[in-house]
Amino acid sequence: MRRLESQPEGLSADEVVRRLAVHGPNRLPEPERPGPLRRLARQFAGLLIQVLLGAAAITALLGHWVDTAVILLVVIANAVLGFVQEGRAERALEAIRDMLVPFATVLRGGRRLAVPAGELVPGDVVLLEPGDRVAADLRLFRARALRIEEAVLTGESLPAEKDIAIAEATAMVGDRGGMAHAGTLVVAGSGAGFVVATGARTELGRVTNLLGAAEGIQTPLLRQMAQFARRLTFVVLAVAGLTLVFGLLVRGMPFAELFIAVVGIAVAAIPEGLPTVLTVALAIGVRRMARRNAIIRRLPAVETLGSVSVICTDKTGTLTRNEMTVRAVALPDGTALEVGGDGYAPHGGFARDGREIDPASVAALTNLARAAALCNDAALREAGAEWRAEGDPMEAALLAFAMKAGLDLRAEAVARPRTDAIPFDAVHRFMATLHHDHQGGAMIMVKGAPERVIPMCDRDASDAADGRFAAEAWLLRADALAAGGNRVLALACREHPADRTTLGVAEVEGGLTLLGLVGLQDPPRPEAVAAVAACRAAGIRVKMITGDHAGTACAIGRQIGLANTGQAVTGAEIDRMDDATLLRVVAETDVFARTSPEHKLRLVDALRAAGAITAMTGDGVNDAPALARADVGIAMGQRGTEAAKEAAQVVLADDNFASIAAAVQEGRTVRDNLRKSVVFLLPINGGESLSVMLAVLLGTTLPITPVQILWVNMVSTVALAMALAFEPGEPDAMRRPPRPSAEPLVDRALLWRVALVSALILAGVFGTFEAALAAGLEVELARTIAVNTLVAMEVAYLFSVRYLRQPSFTFHGVRGTPAVLIALGLVVVMQSLFTYAPPMEALFGTRPLPPLWAGVVLAVGAALFVVLEVEKWVRRRITKGR
């Protein structure tokens, strides 16, 4: 402390600013990232790009310089697009990391504050609690049953016991009992320590490489599509080779002319824009989810969210406001009081049987309120007209209750200072504090679950010292409070030897005097009620898993709108079930109460064994196994521990269940848009390649040259496909059952659509080309007509494919979205330049389009739209008939 020039109350604000300027922010060195040149070089590594580069080299050797130039232009355009998108993806991931900056709890000037971990400086006093990720290297000066998991530094799987003893200067990390190191995880107990090293000077800073590099954007879907692209490339090359052999041996075509045609087949058949479109669709989904407070930490969750069939959610703060308020009080003399007021403001009165009372006139209420105020780690701050809680919401509500009862919190803390404490733990389910007053007395204050605290009592505050204690009657009163939707706490006290300043669990587990019960309520969020209804309409089951009393859980479940809220299954009942029984119960039950994180893990396993795609929420360190085991782990961003956030794939910025439902809806939209993009690109490329292949097989003139195909693919196809990535969700996105995760992206119905549209495009392109030749038009003009027909059919198909299940011939369907209209405007401008600009005539062999044939082109596009809408209508009728 002397060396750091600090004190147990922490540093002043001015001193923190000065030290931050000297030592810099508490951040680890950034991992090495590839520079712009390396990122650009990566864009030329794909198999398709290598095929195109080979085609460019051969066309150059053959002297077809225009074809060579256009092919190289396509390659460069794709590389630039991939380079730009990769940079945007990296920036998006950096933004997400910034949103997930961890916080640390510190003492500064004697005040407890939560500050970003990056603002810690040497000399800061950091407080540690279970679930915290240690944000800097600390020398501990207080440790109470503190255990820290240090596997990231030592490889030891068991947590290390911590104390304040001095270790040898040469001790290894695992032997430094008085140190807490950055990156390690607090799993039990509490403690406090001085920051001795930050950033790169920490032990973790020396082993930064263990933390891993930045997350990539490759997902299972993208890997699947990359594999699909490789297979398609080999198939296309094989077909092109066979076509080359057929043209040489059967048709006797000149090699140079035939090779250009084969290049056209290869370029036409491969959807080179598909990986870029898929990446853009996923990136857009991530941004949309972030805007709806669902931060994607691992991009595969974007896909999985669209297939979720069960959501297991906590209650407090997720389905409810997380603004606990004491609503009911049960005193030892049988008195039941109602408490007024909302939120954490200390405003509200007390009533007995509907009549206001003076709280100061009820001594038992004052004693109960004093225990609630002293056995407490939270704080209330007045910020203008609002009161804000720092710490556990339930403990903050108890402070507001004590203030309503007329207590001065600061005066109580001064008169009865705390000398020791047993923090709340899921194992013993109570918190206890030891206080010594200035008259030489000492008192233990205890609060916890009624079923745990009441058996620890042998009297209540109204007993006439005759030893009688009606424990069962108190438990019935607790059940009655819980049945009304209250979370119930029991408060008790006990005298303690004044000469002892330490407190052990054994000293608390008996001989207590019960002071009374308090019932707290956390009202449901209105938006959560609507979100649960939306999930149920979408075929998604919502299950509430909470540590609350069964009666409270069922009451909140009914208010939220869950199914099967008549009875809850408790953690004790789960412990008595084998796996087969639990598998049956989990299918029939939607409310689980009095559960531990271990129960969550069993429930996840049971749901997955039943074939459900499961999303699980959690906020504590012990929730991490269940979050990691679920198909999608969802951590709470506000009250969640760093351990929970690291184990999860999604972090909720607002801890709101409505954000989960919104993320599921966005996940379904992303999956739909990916399918639309695939179903749009494949038949376009199929129709182009079939047109060239048919010309070679028939020995006729090519309706579209390879350079014209490259133009279409480079300009119109990719631009229009990009627009699909921005499509909003379809109207029935949350009214249809979840899609099985194993279902292919393109099912039989969509394969049929690909085949049908490919055939229609072949007919349109080849038909208009042959019709133009039959009308006596020159080949260059006929090809210009065929190219414009292809683009017109692409535009018509875009408007049709925007709705895979719904009719597109509606006002909203025809009007389009801003992205569609921008893409359409771009295509119209570029295609007009292609058709009418003189320089394009030299590059692509085009001719100006006569008005009559322009009308024919538009009519063919409109005809395609009508045919596809009729096909949709017939398919819907067939499906409805089934």
Side-chain angles (χ1 to χ4, degrees), residues 768-844:
T768 53
F769 176 73
E770 292 296 333
L773 291 180
L777 301 182
E778 58 178 329
V779 172
E780 289 77 11
L781 179 55
R783 283 176 171 162
T784 304
I785 293 171
V787 172
N788 280 280
T789 300
L790 173 61
V791 174
M793 296 179 83
E794 282 186 352
V795 172
Y797 184 40
L798 172 72
F799 279 89
S800 176
V801 83
R802 288 183 59 224
Y803 298 98
L804 294 174
R805 302 170 186 82
Q806 306 295 324
S808 299
F809 192 63
T810 62
F811 173 74
H812 291 288
V814 175
R815 183 183 62 180
T817 62
V820 168
L821 297 179
I822 291 172
L824 180 59
L826 177 65
V827 168
V828 169
V829 170
M830 297 302 294
Q831 200 60 27
S832 298
L833 291 174
F834 174 85
T835 304
Y836 297 104
M840 294 297 187
E841 181 176 342
L843 285 173
F844 296 100

Side-chain angles (χ1 to χ4, degrees), residues 325 332 360 727:
T325 303
E727 281 294 293

Side-chain angles (χ1 to χ4, degrees), residues 444 446 453 456-459 492-494 507-508 510-514:
I444 301 170
V446 180
V453 173
M456 293 158 53
C457 299
D458 58 14
R459 69 184 68 193
C493 66
R494 177 187 171 183
E507 298 172 276
V508 181
L512 299 179
T513 299
L514 186 64

Side-chain angles (χ1 to χ4, degrees), residues 317-320 525 527-528 531 636 652-661:
T318 308
L319 295 173
T320 60
R525 295 176 183 258
E527 63 272 25
M636 302 298 108
L652 294 187
D654 59 354
D655 293 9
N656 192 340
F657 181 84
S659 297
I660 303 177

Side-chain angles (χ1 to χ4, degrees), residues 578-589:
D578 57 23
D579 291 342
T581 304
L582 184 59
L583 193 64
R584 175 180 54 80
V585 169
V586 79
E588 303 169 352
T589 306

Side-chain angles (χ1 to χ4, degrees), residues 73-92:
L73 185 61
V74 170
V75 171
I76 293 172
N78 273 281
V80 170
L81 183 60
F83 176 80
V84 171
Q85 177 55 36
E86 184 176 322
R88 287 178 177 173
E90 286 187 3
R91 288 194 296 273

Side-chain angles (χ1 to χ4, degrees), residues 237-553:
L237 291 178
V239 172
L242 292 175
T243 304
L244 179 66
V245 172
F246 180 87
L248 287 173
L249 300 181
V250 178
R251 295 299 180 188
M253 297 174 63
F255 176 80
E257 176 185 345
L258 183 60
F259 182 79
I260 294 300
V262 170
V263 168
I265 293 173
V267 171
I270 299 175
E272 63 268 20
L274 183 58
T276 301
V277 172
L278 295 180
T279 303
V280 169
L282 289 171
I284 292 169
V286 170
R287 289 204 301 270
R288 284 178 173 175
M289 290 182 184
R291 284 199 297 267
R292 303 185 75 169
N293 294 311
I295 303 166
I296 305 299
R297 295 190 69 250
R298 298 183 178 91
L299 287 181
V302 178
E303 307 156 30
T304 313
L305 275 169
S307 301
V308 165
S309 58
V310 175
I311 300 176
C312 297
T313 176
D314 190 13
K315 175 183 71 67
T316 304
T318 308
L319 295 173
T320 60
R321 294 179 183 272
N322 198 20
E323 292 182 354
M324 302 293 290
T325 303
V326 175
R327 290 297 186 197
V329 174
L331 297 176
D333 62 358
T335 300
L337 300 179
E338 301 89 40
V339 187
D342 292 310
Y344 301 119
H347 308 306
F350 293 80
R352 179 193 294 137
D353 299 325
R355 299 179 60 185
E356 291 284 335
I357 66 167
D358 179 8
S361 65
V362 184
L365 176 61
T366 301
N367 293 332
L368 181 69
R370 179 172 291 115
L374 294 177
C375 188
N376 201 306
D377 284 332
L380 287 179
R381 308 289 182 200
E382 188 174 10
E386 294 184 0
W387 286 78
R388 297 179 181 174
E390 293 183 7
D392 185 89
M394 180 192 65
E395 293 195 328
L398 292 176
L399 293 180
F401 158 68
M403 294 173 72
K404 292 175 186 178
L407 295 186
D408 184 327
L409 301 183
R410 186 178 296 273
E412 290 292 333
V414 171
R416 300 170 178 83
R418 181 189 298 187
T419 51
D420 201 2
I422 299 175
F424 179 85
D425 188 277
V427 176
H428 52 249
R429 298 176 67 191
F430 66 78
M431 174 184 178
T433 55
L434 176 61
H435 304 266
H436 284 70
D437 59 36
H438 301 301
Q439 286 73 42
M443 184 71 70
I444 301 170
M445 300 293 186
V446 180
K447 75 169 185 292
E451 60 268 33
R452 181 70 174 97
V453 173
I454 291 174
M456 293 158 53
C457 299
D458 58 14
R459 69 184 68 193
D460 63 40
S462 68
D463 282 346
D466 57 4
R468 291 178 300 172
F469 179 60
E472 292 186 2
W474 275 107
L475 290 172
L476 289 175
R477 294 181 76 181
D479 289 339
L481 284 174
N486 293 291
R487 180 172 183 179
V488 186
L489 287 177
L491 292 106
C493 66
R494 177 187 171 183
E495 292 185 358
H496 190 70
D499 59 346
R500 293 176 56 186
T501 58
T502 60
L503 186 62
V505 173
E507 298 172 276
V508 181
E509 291 186 319
L512 299 179
T513 299
L514 186 64
L515 297 174
L517 306 174
V518 292
L520 302 97
Q521 287 191 0
D522 184 9
R525 295 176 183 258
E527 63 272 25
V529 177
V532 168
C535 286
R536 293 184 63 183
I540 301 171
R541 294 192 65 178
V542 180
K543 298 180 182 293
M544 183 170 68
I545 306 175
T546 178
D548 271 352
H549 192 281
T552 305

